[in-house]
Amino acid sequence: MPTPPAPSPGPPAPPIPLAELLASKELGLRRIAGPAEADLLWVHTSEMADPYPYLLGGELLLSAGVLLTDPDRYVARLVEAGAAALGFGVRPVYEAVPEALIEACDRYGLPLLEVPPETPFTTIARAVWRLMAQARHRELRRVTRAQQALATAAARPDPVPAVLHQLATQLSGRAVLLTARGEEVHAAGRRPHPEAAAALARLARVVARERPGSPASATDTHGDTHLAAYALGGGEGLVLSLATRGREPGDHTVAGIAVVLLSLLAAPHQGADAADRSAALVRLLLGATPAEVAPLLGPDGPWTVIHARRSDGTTPDALTAGALGASLGSALVDAGREGDETVRVLLPATTREAPPQGSDGEKPRQPGEPREPEKPRQPPRPPTVPPHPGWTLGVSTPTPLSALTTADTRAARALAHAEATRTPLKVDAPVTGLAALIPPDQAAAHARTLLAPLTPPLADTLRCWLSLHGSWDRTAVALSVHRNTVRQRIGRCAELLDVDLNDMDVRTELWFALRRE
């Protein structure tokens, strides 16, 4: 029997049990061969003699057998591709499901459904998508309830045991907080079999951050027990380990919420700086304004904003985003919202002090010699941010707390530039040279006057287009629009501004204005 390949990444919805589809009486489906259990990820219709090259795995394949000549090979190829089940429509090609096809499905263990003539394949597809939407809704409701329960547990006087107890309840399993050496700190839920418990301790040592390169999480199975381990933040090497009898949709999300809470609860005592920042966050949540909490964050800047996205296009979870923030040296991380793959990190910038006298080869001051005027502090510089494998980064210039909104915009532009040019890192360059000689208020006033005819989308398009040296394709990538849309917008900019954008003097003045608005 062919060995099914590893399952492909599924759609953004939980798989549908075959039994749920068969329970829809209006479809009239009947299982006539193969096992009764299967998980459906997709619906696909094909009348090819060999649909193998076009299958992802997990499909309910629908066919009327137009080119069916060798049922045994046909079913073998479906199993090899990882198909979940086969739905065979009777009439007009076949009056009944071929006996040879039934025998082949029984032999290879592929569920075979008889589709009656009055049930169109599109009706089956709509039913599957409807069931997926319902399952997704149930999953979201379950995760929301679990999040509320865990947050309530975290507010109890004994938060760590309470969170573990609630997590074990939500996942119907065992939740254990372990040290890097595998010692239990707290535990909740029914104990697993001793062998499974030993396997869980070994898995915890895999993610314990005692050596560089340790993964943030790991999973395994021991018999019918599902095992998972998650490294906690805080630098203590603590690990959250889970042992459950099943693996339900949403379990990983619920575990991720618990990891964030436990990382905060189990972290060592905060220093003064971290405590002040936590206090600032609490005051913001309670209604204070940014100006009121600014003193708790230290001097008025400088701060650097970093925007990051996964290079492979995947959406980072809270653990992945937190690991990026830790590697950058900041706990101020926003993992983004649903539908937004951008991670934002707020990082304190550094300030270059004037070198002490007598350093860097300067002649030391002799006794009685007049003291030279103290050299001023140099402008702040962005922290050194190296490229991070698997990430694309956009970094803003250092900015005071009052201008973080502008820095956030500049970091977003730098990230778009990096993605368009396929570079792992782009730092937004500060205004220097001749442009820095013009007073900022005068430059901003000139920019507002010059760019007044442009709407914000047109101004953003023009800025991006100029930054990418007039490349239509790269600008389209950076803005996630079609290249013809870029051409239309740039043409509209030229009309509204009444300028020739092929003139370098015009481009230079516009670039100056767009950088100072």
Side-chain angles (χ1 to χ4, degrees), residues 226-250:
H226 294 260
L227 310 176
Y230 302 86
L232 302 187
E236 294 294 289
L238 296 176
V239 176
L240 171 64
S241 299
L242 303 173
T244 58
R245 285 292 182 182
R247 186 70 172 172
E248 298 294 328

PDB file of all heavy atoms in Angstrom, residues 226-250:
ATOM      1  N   HIS A 226      -0.694  13.498  23.327  1.00  0.00           N
ATOM      2  CA  HIS A 226      -0.025  14.582  22.600  1.00  0.00           C
ATOM      3  C   HIS A 226       0.793  15.404  23.589  1.00  0.00           C
ATOM      4  O   HIS A 226       0.281  15.831  24.637  1.00  0.00           O
ATOM      5  CB  HIS A 226      -1.053  15.468  21.902  1.00  0.00           C
ATOM      6  CG  HIS A 226      -1.799  14.777  20.807  1.00  0.00           C
ATOM      7  ND1 HIS A 226      -1.486  14.923  19.480  1.00  0.00           N
ATOM      8  CD2 HIS A 226      -2.847  13.911  20.858  1.00  0.00           C
ATOM      9  CE1 HIS A 226      -2.309  14.197  18.747  1.00  0.00           C
ATOM     10  NE2 HIS A 226      -3.143  13.568  19.561  1.00  0.00           N
ATOM     11  N   LEU A 227       2.051  15.647  23.262  1.00  0.00           N
ATOM     12  CA  LEU A 227       2.965  16.380  24.134  1.00  0.00           C
ATOM     13  C   LEU A 227       3.372  17.692  23.466  1.00  0.00           C
ATOM     14  O   LEU A 227       3.546  17.751  22.245  1.00  0.00           O
ATOM     15  CB  LEU A 227       4.216  15.549  24.423  1.00  0.00           C
ATOM     16  CG  LEU A 227       3.993  14.105  24.903  1.00  0.00           C
ATOM     17  CD1 LEU A 227       5.327  13.392  25.059  1.00  0.00           C
ATOM     18  CD2 LEU A 227       3.212  14.092  26.223  1.00  0.00           C
ATOM     19  N   ALA A 228       3.538  18.739  24.273  1.00  0.00           N
ATOM     20  CA  ALA A 228       3.990  20.036  23.763  1.00  0.00           C
ATOM     21  C   ALA A 228       4.782  20.728  24.857  1.00  0.00           C
ATOM     22  O   ALA A 228       4.506  20.569  26.049  1.00  0.00           O
ATOM     23  CB  ALA A 228       2.810  20.902  23.328  1.00  0.00           C
ATOM     24  N   ALA A 229       5.802  21.503  24.446  1.00  0.00           N
ATOM     25  CA  ALA A 229       6.627  22.256  25.393  1.00  0.00           C
ATOM     26  C   ALA A 229       6.894  23.638  24.812  1.00  0.00           C
ATOM     27  O   ALA A 229       7.171  23.778  23.617  1.00  0.00           O
ATOM     28  CB  ALA A 229       7.938  21.528  25.676  1.00  0.00           C
ATOM     29  N   TYR A 230       6.795  24.662  25.662  1.00  0.00           N
ATOM     30  CA  TYR A 230       6.975  26.049  25.245  1.00  0.00           C
ATOM     31  C   TYR A 230       7.954  26.726  26.207  1.00  0.00           C
ATOM     32  O   TYR A 230       7.762  26.679  27.423  1.00  0.00           O
ATOM     33  CB  TYR A 230       5.646  26.808  25.267  1.00  0.00           C
ATOM     34  CG  TYR A 230       4.563  26.208  24.407  1.00  0.00           C
ATOM     35  CD1 TYR A 230       3.737  25.194  24.901  1.00  0.00           C
ATOM     36  CD2 TYR A 230       4.348  26.656  23.110  1.00  0.00           C
ATOM     37  CE1 TYR A 230       2.737  24.644  24.111  1.00  0.00           C
ATOM     38  CE2 TYR A 230       3.346  26.108  22.317  1.00  0.00           C
ATOM     39  CZ  TYR A 230       2.551  25.102  22.830  1.00  0.00           C
ATOM     40  OH  TYR A 230       1.554  24.561  22.043  1.00  0.00           O
ATOM     41  N   ALA A 231       8.968  27.365  25.667  1.00  0.00           N
ATOM     42  CA  ALA A 231       9.910  28.115  26.501  1.00  0.00           C
ATOM     43  C   ALA A 231       9.271  29.426  26.935  1.00  0.00           C
ATOM     44  O   ALA A 231       8.640  30.119  26.132  1.00  0.00           O
ATOM     45  CB  ALA A 231      11.195  28.380  25.724  1.00  0.00           C
ATOM     46  N   LEU A 232       9.418  29.782  28.203  1.00  0.00           N
ATOM     47  CA  LEU A 232       8.878  31.033  28.723  1.00  0.00           C
ATOM     48  C   LEU A 232       9.946  32.111  28.683  1.00  0.00           C
ATOM     49  O   LEU A 232      11.141  31.836  28.802  1.00  0.00           O
ATOM     50  CB  LEU A 232       8.382  30.863  30.162  1.00  0.00           C
ATOM     51  CG  LEU A 232       7.306  29.806  30.411  1.00  0.00           C
ATOM     52  CD1 LEU A 232       6.814  29.907  31.844  1.00  0.00           C
ATOM     53  CD2 LEU A 232       6.139  29.966  29.445  1.00  0.00           C
ATOM     54  N   GLY A 233       9.511  33.351  28.514  1.00  0.00           N
ATOM     55  CA  GLY A 233      10.433  34.467  28.578  1.00  0.00           C
ATOM     56  C   GLY A 233      10.809  34.763  30.017  1.00  0.00           C
ATOM     57  O   GLY A 233      10.281  34.186  30.968  1.00  0.00           O
ATOM     58  N   GLY A 234      11.724  35.708  30.169  1.00  0.00           N
ATOM     59  CA  GLY A 234      12.122  36.104  31.521  1.00  0.00           C
ATOM     60  C   GLY A 234      13.511  35.676  31.906  1.00  0.00           C
ATOM     61  O   GLY A 234      14.002  36.044  32.950  1.00  0.00           O
ATOM     62  N   GLY A 235      14.172  34.873  31.086  1.00  0.00           N
ATOM     63  CA  GLY A 235      15.553  34.514  31.341  1.00  0.00           C
ATOM     64  C   GLY A 235      15.772  33.493  32.426  1.00  0.00           C
ATOM     65  O   GLY A 235      16.896  33.263  32.861  1.00  0.00           O
ATOM     66  N   GLU A 236      14.702  32.833  32.921  1.00  0.00           N
ATOM     67  CA  GLU A 236      14.841  31.856  33.993  1.00  0.00           C
ATOM     68  C   GLU A 236      14.906  30.416  33.472  1.00  0.00           C
ATOM     69  O   GLU A 236      15.054  29.486  34.258  1.00  0.00           O
ATOM     70  CB  GLU A 236      13.655  31.983  34.958  1.00  0.00           C
ATOM     71  CG  GLU A 236      13.621  33.301  35.723  1.00  0.00           C
ATOM     72  CD  GLU A 236      14.797  33.422  36.681  1.00  0.00           C
ATOM     73  OE1 GLU A 236      14.822  32.710  37.689  1.00  0.00           O
ATOM     74  OE2 GLU A 236      15.682  34.233  36.398  1.00  0.00           O
ATOM     75  N   GLY A 237      14.750  30.227  32.173  1.00  0.00           N
ATOM     76  CA  GLY A 237      14.797  28.878  31.612  1.00  0.00           C
ATOM     77  C   GLY A 237      13.577  28.046  31.929  1.00  0.00           C
ATOM     78  O   GLY A 237      13.627  26.814  31.849  1.00  0.00           O
ATOM     79  N   LEU A 238      12.469  28.661  32.301  1.00  0.00           N
ATOM     80  CA  LEU A 238      11.255  27.920  32.618  1.00  0.00           C
ATOM     81  C   LEU A 238      10.570  27.431  31.350  1.00  0.00           C
ATOM     82  O   LEU A 238      10.647  28.071  30.291  1.00  0.00           O
ATOM     83  CB  LEU A 238      10.289  28.784  33.427  1.00  0.00           C
ATOM     84  CG  LEU A 238      10.771  29.224  34.815  1.00  0.00           C
ATOM     85  CD1 LEU A 238       9.751  30.156  35.451  1.00  0.00           C
ATOM     86  CD2 LEU A 238      11.026  28.019  35.708  1.00  0.00           C
ATOM     87  N   VAL A 239       9.872  26.301  31.475  1.00  0.00           N
ATOM     88  CA  VAL A 239       9.212  25.683  30.324  1.00  0.00           C
ATOM     89  C   VAL A 239       7.797  25.282  30.730  1.00  0.00           C
ATOM     90  O   VAL A 239       7.595  24.699  31.808  1.00  0.00           O
ATOM     91  CB  VAL A 239       9.986  24.441  29.833  1.00  0.00           C
ATOM     92  CG1 VAL A 239       9.231  23.750  28.701  1.00  0.00           C
ATOM     93  CG2 VAL A 239      11.387  24.833  29.379  1.00  0.00           C
ATOM     94  N   LEU A 240       6.837  25.591  29.887  1.00  0.00           N
ATOM     95  CA  LEU A 240       5.472  25.104  30.066  1.00  0.00           C
ATOM     96  C   LEU A 240       5.309  23.828  29.247  1.00  0.00           C
ATOM     97  O   LEU A 240       5.535  23.834  28.037  1.00  0.00           O
ATOM     98  CB  LEU A 240       4.453  26.152  29.589  1.00  0.00           C
ATOM     99  CG  LEU A 240       2.998  25.682  29.515  1.00  0.00           C
ATOM    100  CD1 LEU A 240       2.481  25.318  30.899  1.00  0.00           C
ATOM    101  CD2 LEU A 240       2.114  26.741  28.867  1.00  0.00           C
ATOM    102  N   SER A 241       4.935  22.737  29.909  1.00  0.00           N
ATOM    103  CA  SER A 241       4.775  21.446  29.238  1.00  0.00           C
ATOM    104  C   SER A 241       3.319  21.011  29.332  1.00  0.00           C
ATOM    105  O   SER A 241       2.683  21.165  30.382  1.00  0.00           O
ATOM    106  CB  SER A 241       5.685  20.391  29.878  1.00  0.00           C
ATOM    107  OG  SER A 241       7.046  20.769  29.760  1.00  0.00           O
ATOM    108  N   LEU A 242       2.814  20.450  28.247  1.00  0.00           N
ATOM    109  CA  LEU A 242       1.418  20.029  28.172  1.00  0.00           C
ATOM    110  C   LEU A 242       1.324  18.591  27.697  1.00  0.00           C
ATOM    111  O   LEU A 242       2.062  18.187  26.779  1.00  0.00           O
ATOM    112  CB  LEU A 242       0.636  20.929  27.207  1.00  0.00           C
ATOM    113  CG  LEU A 242       0.632  22.433  27.506  1.00  0.00           C
ATOM    114  CD1 LEU A 242      -0.029  23.191  26.365  1.00  0.00           C
ATOM    115  CD2 LEU A 242      -0.073  22.704  28.828  1.00  0.00           C
ATOM    116  N   ALA A 243       0.421  17.843  28.304  1.00  0.00           N
ATOM    117  CA  ALA A 243       0.126  16.475  27.872  1.00  0.00           C
ATOM    118  C   ALA A 243      -1.393  16.354  27.777  1.00  0.00           C
ATOM    119  O   ALA A 243      -2.094  16.527  28.785  1.00  0.00           O
ATOM    120  CB  ALA A 243       0.686  15.453  28.859  1.00  0.00           C
ATOM    121  N   THR A 244      -1.896  16.098  26.560  1.00  0.00           N
ATOM    122  CA  THR A 244      -3.346  16.015  26.338  1.00  0.00           C
ATOM    123  C   THR A 244      -3.673  14.747  25.558  1.00  0.00           C
ATOM    124  O   THR A 244      -2.843  14.229  24.811  1.00  0.00           O
ATOM    125  CB  THR A 244      -3.847  17.237  25.555  1.00  0.00           C
ATOM    126  OG1 THR A 244      -3.157  17.316  24.303  1.00  0.00           O
ATOM    127  CG2 THR A 244      -3.608  18.513  26.345  1.00  0.00           C
ATOM    128  N   ARG A 245      -4.900  14.269  25.723  1.00  0.00           N
ATOM    129  CA  ARG A 245      -5.347  13.065  25.019  1.00  0.00           C
ATOM    130  C   ARG A 245      -5.702  13.342  23.575  1.00  0.00           C
ATOM    131  O   ARG A 245      -5.654  12.459  22.730  1.00  0.00           O
ATOM    132  CB  ARG A 245      -6.560  12.469  25.732  1.00  0.00           C
ATOM    133  CG  ARG A 245      -6.221  11.756  27.016  1.00  0.00           C
ATOM    134  CD  ARG A 245      -5.423  10.500  26.741  1.00  0.00           C
ATOM    135  NE  ARG A 245      -5.118   9.757  27.955  1.00  0.00           N
ATOM    136  CZ  ARG A 245      -4.408   8.647  27.976  1.00  0.00           C
ATOM    137  NH1 ARG A 245      -3.912   8.158  26.857  1.00  0.00           N
ATOM    138  NH2 ARG A 245      -4.165   8.035  29.114  1.00  0.00           N
ATOM    139  N   GLY A 246      -6.085  14.554  23.264  1.00  0.00           N
ATOM    140  CA  GLY A 246      -6.453  14.920  21.898  1.00  0.00           C
ATOM    141  C   GLY A 246      -5.804  16.228  21.520  1.00  0.00           C
ATOM    142  O   GLY A 246      -5.187  16.908  22.339  1.00  0.00           O
ATOM    143  N   ARG A 247      -5.938  16.571  20.248  1.00  0.00           N
ATOM    144  CA  ARG A 247      -5.383  17.831  19.752  1.00  0.00           C
ATOM    145  C   ARG A 247      -6.499  18.562  19.020  1.00  0.00           C
ATOM    146  O   ARG A 247      -6.796  18.275  17.862  1.00  0.00           O
ATOM    147  CB  ARG A 247      -4.208  17.559  18.810  1.00  0.00           C
ATOM    148  CG  ARG A 247      -3.472  18.826  18.371  1.00  0.00           C
ATOM    149  CD  ARG A 247      -2.706  19.455  19.514  1.00  0.00           C
ATOM    150  NE  ARG A 247      -1.861  20.544  19.064  1.00  0.00           N
ATOM    151  CZ  ARG A 247      -1.198  21.356  19.882  1.00  0.00           C
ATOM    152  NH1 ARG A 247      -1.289  21.173  21.174  1.00  0.00           N
ATOM    153  NH2 ARG A 247      -0.465  22.331  19.407  1.00  0.00           N
ATOM    154  N   GLU A 248      -7.151  19.488  19.714  1.00  0.00           N
ATOM    155  CA  GLU A 248      -8.294  20.190  19.158  1.00  0.00           C
ATOM    156  C   GLU A 248      -7.848  21.474  18.461  1.00  0.00           C
ATOM    157  O   GLU A 248      -6.825  22.065  18.832  1.00  0.00           O
ATOM    158  CB  GLU A 248      -9.292  20.531  20.269  1.00  0.00           C
ATOM    159  CG  GLU A 248      -9.882  19.334  20.980  1.00  0.00           C
ATOM    160  CD  GLU A 248     -10.748  18.496  20.055  1.00  0.00           C
ATOM    161  OE1 GLU A 248     -11.365  19.071  19.139  1.00  0.00           O
ATOM    162  OE2 GLU A 248     -10.790  17.268  20.242  1.00  0.00           O
ATOM    163  N   PRO A 249      -8.632  21.923  17.453  1.00  0.00           N
ATOM    164  CA  PRO A 249      -8.330  23.218  16.835  1.00  0.00           C
ATOM    165  C   PRO A 249      -8.352  24.328  17.887  1.00  0.00           C
ATOM    166  O   PRO A 249      -9.239  24.380  18.733  1.00  0.00           O
ATOM    167  CB  PRO A 249      -9.460  23.394  15.809  1.00  0.00           C
ATOM    168  CG  PRO A 249      -9.943  22.007  15.525  1.00  0.00           C
ATOM    169  CD  PRO A 249      -9.772  21.241  16.797  1.00  0.00           C
ATOM    170  N   GLY A 250      -7.389  25.192  17.841  1.00  0.00           N
ATOM    171  CA  GLY A 250      -7.310  26.280  18.810  1.00  0.00           C
ATOM    172  C   GLY A 250      -6.451  25.986  20.009  1.00  0.00           C
ATOM    173  O   GLY A 250      -6.151  26.901  20.795  1.00  0.00           O
TER     174      GLY A 250
END
